[in-house]
Amino acid sequence: MQVEAPVITLDGPGGAGKGTVSTLLAERLGWQFLDSGALYRLTALAAMNHAIDMTNESGLAVVAEHLDVSFLQNDGRTVIMLENDDVTESIRSEKVGSNASKVAAFSRVRDALLKRQRAFAVMPGLVADGRDMGTVVFTQAELKIFMTATSDERARRRVAQLLASGVNADFEQVKADIEERDERDMNRKTAPLVPAEDAIELDTTEMPIEAVVRFIEQEAKARGLMS
Ligand code: DC
């Protein structure tokens, strides 16, 4: 009999710190990590490369179905390859993020990426980061977290991240982009960004990363997911 791998889902708006928290958590548990946002970003970037319009649902669905992507581990760092190009950095740009949010509104694109996401759920377990991990992709997950923070705080974190990587950023512009993306992600018809009924909602505005990770570890322990 095949045993289903345990899953912890982390959903929430962009910039809430899900990526950092889920990476740390997956490392400590020794589990797989799924960055589902990267798949939407890769779909957007592949569509941009092939001159497919962000409103062309059937074209975008074809791109999503045929996404030629690999996630390679290199010295503890994940390198993301799209059609033989290293796109680890380029998929993080604001332009790709904003287009990812547009392609993600199409149900045919979401359906095309579903199987690929579920394939990450292998033993000993999976930490899945996204918008609909607990509501659509892994409804059976043992532990579901919905992480939020105010848009001011998320913009502040994003600006700090950009400055640290040598990119200049304007706080008001970053905040406006974040709010525009929230609006689109929360109000789309397919798989909108909402907490699962059985999710724990966590406002991280005033929580350091380590405190968030510790909180989730305690919840995981309470459910017998870690020793
Ligand atoms: O988390 P991120 O910023 O990398 O995600 C980029 C976009 O992808 C985001 O605006 C919405 C979309 N997305 C989604 O619709 N569902 C997911 N599970 C993950 C991301």
Side-chain angles (χ1 to χ4, degrees):
M1 198 183 79
Q2 206 181 341
V3 182
E4 269 199 12
V7 178
I8 298 177
T9 59
L10 269 86
D11 288 308
K18 290 170 290 142
T20 313
V21 168
S22 7
T23 308
L24 278 171
L25 198 61
E27 255 171 39
R28 291 194 196 171
L29 292 165
W31 287 13
Q32 302 293 321
F33 167 53
L34 166 63
D35 173 4
S36 61
L39 293 174
Y40 290 95
R41 286 173 182 268
L42 286 158
T43 304
L45 182 60
M48 288 156 77
N49 290 344
H50 294 287
I52 295 183
D53 199 87
M54 297 302 142
T55 57
N56 174 357
E57 178 166 9
S58 49
L60 293 168
V62 172
V63 171
E65 271 159 30
H66 298 280
L67 214 49
D68 176 10
V69 55
S70 37
F71 295 86
L72 310 174
Q73 294 308 318
N74 186 1
D75 269 348
R77 173 176 170 265
T78 305
V79 175
I80 305 178
M81 303 293 295
L82 176 66
E83 297 165 15
N84 298 322
D85 288 332
D86 180 347
V87 296
T88 317
E89 304 293 329
S90 57
I91 59 162
R92 302 295 161 197
S93 75
E94 292 302 311
K95 180 75 194 159
V96 173
S98 152
N99 281 340
S101 163
K102 290 179 191 163
V103 309
F106 291 120
S107 57
R108 288 179 58 192
V109 170
R110 304 197 73 84
D111 287 348
L113 295 178
L114 206 52
K115 232 178 155 178
R116 219 184 262 265
Q117 296 176 75
R118 290 189 173 142
F120 277 80
V122 293
M123 295 301 269
L126 171 70
V127 178
D129 162 1
R131 303 289 191 286
D132 62 341
M133 299 294 96
T135 50
V136 177
V137 185
F138 302 109
T139 49
Q140 83 288 1
E142 281 77 1
L143 173 57
K144 299 180 183 178
I145 306 287
F146 192 84
M147 267 177 76
T148 58
T150 59
S151 55
D152 268 313
E153 174 61 15
R154 288 185 284 131
R156 203 191 53 71
R157 291 177 190 172
R158 179 73 185 141
V159 168
Q161 223 173 36
L162 288 169
L163 293 179
S165 57
V167 181
N168 245 334
D170 172 60
F171 177 84
E172 289 304 331
Q173 183 58 50
V174 169
K175 187 178 158 194
D177 288 347
I178 281 181
E179 289 178 344
E180 187 191 321
R181 193 122 57 97
D182 284 356
E183 170 75 17
R184 203 164 29 230
D185 293 345
M186 290 191 296
N187 294 313
R188 66 183 176 219
K189 282 203 200 77
T190 315
L193 172 64
V194 285
E197 269 176 24
D198 49 350
I200 300 174
E201 294 190 41
L202 197 60
D203 182 342
T204 68
T205 306
E206 299 194 0
M207 282 175 89
I209 294 291
E210 183 52 33
V212 178
V213 176
R214 264 206 315 272
F215 173 87
I216 302 175
E217 276 180 330
Q218 275 161 9
E219 292 295 330
K221 254 186 206 151
R223 287 165 175 74
L225 299 176
M226 61 189 289
S227 46

